Amino acid sequence: AQSVTQLDSQVPVFEEAPVELRCNYSSSVSVYLFWYVQYPNQGLQLLLKYLSGSTLVKGINGFEAEFNKSQTSFHLRKPSVHISDTAEYFCAVSVNLGYSTLTFGKGTMLLVSP
Amino acid sequence: GAVVSQHPSWVICKSGTSVKIECRSLDFQATTMFWYRQFPKQSLMLMATSNEGSKATYEQGVEKDKFLINHASLTLSTLTVTSAHPEDSSFYICSASGTSIAKNIQYFGAGTRLSVL
C-alpha cells in the first residue's frame, strides 16, 4: 500500500515571500502524483500533476512541483505568494491511473499574511 | 479543466430523515465516481468508488445500507444518507474520473455540508 506524508500541518508566510510545501510518499510501485488546493467550504481543485515525462511540472496560479524519485518527494513551490493563496493544500498519489484511487496526505494549511 | 457539479452545497435535516446528494460531470463522461467524507481540519476519507452501471465498492467501515450510492449514468452519481443522525453530519465531496479531459485524473465537486439536527 502507498502512503503520503505532509510534514507541515501549517505554513505561515508573508505576502510576496517564496514558499515550499513538502510532500513525501511511500510506495513499492511507480506512482502518479497530484497537488490539490481546497479553499474554505469548497471542494478540491487540481493544482498540478505528475504522470510521466519531465520531473518539473508547472500548474495553475504560479505553482510548480518537482518529482524526485530517489527522495520519494513531490514538493510544491511558489516563488511569490499572494493573500489569495491562503488555503489547504493536499498532496495525493495514485498507483493505477485506470482506476485512479487517490491516497491523500493530511494536508498543509498555507497562511499568507500581509 | 473538467467540471463536476455537486448539489446541494448545504443541507440541514432532522434526525431520521434521508438526504440525497447529487454529483454530475458536466463536460465529460464519468466512468468512475468517488465519494469522500471530510471531518473538520482533516484530510479526505474515501467512502466508496462506483463505476457506471455497477454496484459501488465501499471502503472498510462504511455502512453500505446507510450510504446508498447510485451511478446509473455516465454523468450522474447520487449519495443517499438514509435515516441520518447527528453523527452523520460532515462535509461530503464527490469526484469523477473518466474520458477525455478527465482521463486518469479525479476532478472534484464543491462539496456538500450536511447538518443533522
Side-chain angles (χ1 to χ4, degrees), chain A residues 36 38 41 43 49 97 100 105, chain B residues 38 43 104-106 109-110 113:
Chain A
Y36 286 88
Q38 184 179 33
N41 296 311
K49 61 187 182 294
L97 285 184
S100 49
Chain B
Q38 186 179 33
S43 189
N104 299 326
I105 298 169
Q106 285 189 39
R113 185 159 302 283

Side-chain angles (χ1 to χ4, degrees), chain A residues 34 36 38 41-46 49 51 90 97-102 104-107, chain B residues 34 36 38 42-44 46 49 51 57 91 93 97 104-111 113:
Chain A
F34 306 82
Y36 286 88
Q38 184 179 33
N41 296 311
Q42 294 187 30
L44 275 65
Q45 181 181 8
L46 180 66
K49 61 187 182 294
L51 303 183
F90 291 98
L97 285 184
Y99 188 73
S100 49
T101 302
L102 291 170
F104 284 92
K106 291 187 175 182
Chain B
F34 306 82
Y36 295 85
Q38 186 179 33
Q42 293 191 28
S43 189
L44 281 72
L46 180 65
T49 303
N51 292 299
T57 301
F91 192 56
I93 310 175
S97 178
N104 299 326
I105 298 169
Q106 285 189 39
Y107 286 93
F108 286 78
R113 185 159 302 283

